[in-house]
Amino acid sequence: MGATGRLHDGRLRIAIAAWLGLATACLALAPARATAQGFIDDPLERAMEEALAGRPQRGAAGLPPAPPEGAWGEVINANERWIVIQNHIGQQFPIAVADIQEFLIRWPSRSDDISPTALVEAIGFSPGSNVVRTDHVDYFEGDDRSLVAPTYNEVLPNNMVVTTLDPGFNRFMNAWDYAGQNLLYGWAYPVPAGVGGNPGRLHVVGEMVMDQPMRLLVPGNIVATILPGDAGGISVTQITRGDSRFVRKGDYAFLMPIEARLRGLRVSQLVVYKPMPLRRFNPDAK
């Protein structure tokens, strides 16, 4: 009788253990099946996954991934605290103004609207003699001048600055400069960009001293001449610091996301493109 009882107790323990193991396995599989089923039944989620294929997904649990770096969208709503942007597949991202690290607005303009005290920025091919050939320039007025600084830099094809040829002495050679520039020049005798097949580019920022042709006074007491790169002429944009009161539904925006959070999208940079010049914009009109 004791042996029979022990056998019965052993079989009961085995049965209970088997049942608990089966229940645990079912619970482990349930979330995965639900997630997979939810993905299959959601065409928008599937479109998002296809659009963002190959990019690491970052964000809080249960939120869609942040859009890819360098994303474009259209503003569909804005107030003093929030800007909501919709991308090309209809996905909407609320962005708190406090979560924008760098916020800029670009306003279309003309060269004759540039004041004598503005700082003008241009970068483009340089055939020599301090000439910059480009199809676009930006300018900064008033307090927005602090967004840039007077500059005269030759730029290498890998976007490194030719520090040894900087007449404004804005930078000094360091180990990184040597490592990068020695690939194209030499340790002791660097040559101007353009010699030996290296395409030369010039980056300048300065006050405009003449508008036709455009000439800028840049560091080193140098006057840089800005000429159009082709027959299309030069487009002009005024850049200001961002202000959500100036953002309207229908504006286009360029953004560099960091992560998607429950509060909304966090971005390192947001640039809003306006359809009219700043001088024609009425911030009180809705």
Side-chain angles (χ1 to χ4, degrees), residues 234-245:
I234 300 176
S235 60
V236 179
T237 297
Q238 180 180 359
I239 298 182
T240 65
R241 285 184 172 84
D243 189 330
S244 60
R245 296 174 300 173

Side-chain angles (χ1 to χ4, degrees), residues 199-254:
R201 287 192 300 155
L202 197 60
H203 176 210
V204 294
V205 178
E207 293 184 353
M208 187 173 67
V209 294
M210 183 182 294
D211 61 348
Q212 293 296 334
M214 186 180 294
R215 288 194 166 97
L216 308 180
L217 182 63
V218 297
N221 200 27
I222 295 172
V223 175
T225 302
I226 314 301
L227 298 177
D230 52 41
I234 300 176
S235 60
V236 179
T237 297
Q238 180 180 359
I239 298 182
T240 65
R241 285 184 172 84
D243 189 330
S244 60
R245 296 174 300 173
F246 293 171
V247 180
R248 295 290 183 270
K249 180 180 179 180
D251 291 344
Y252 289 103
F254 171 85

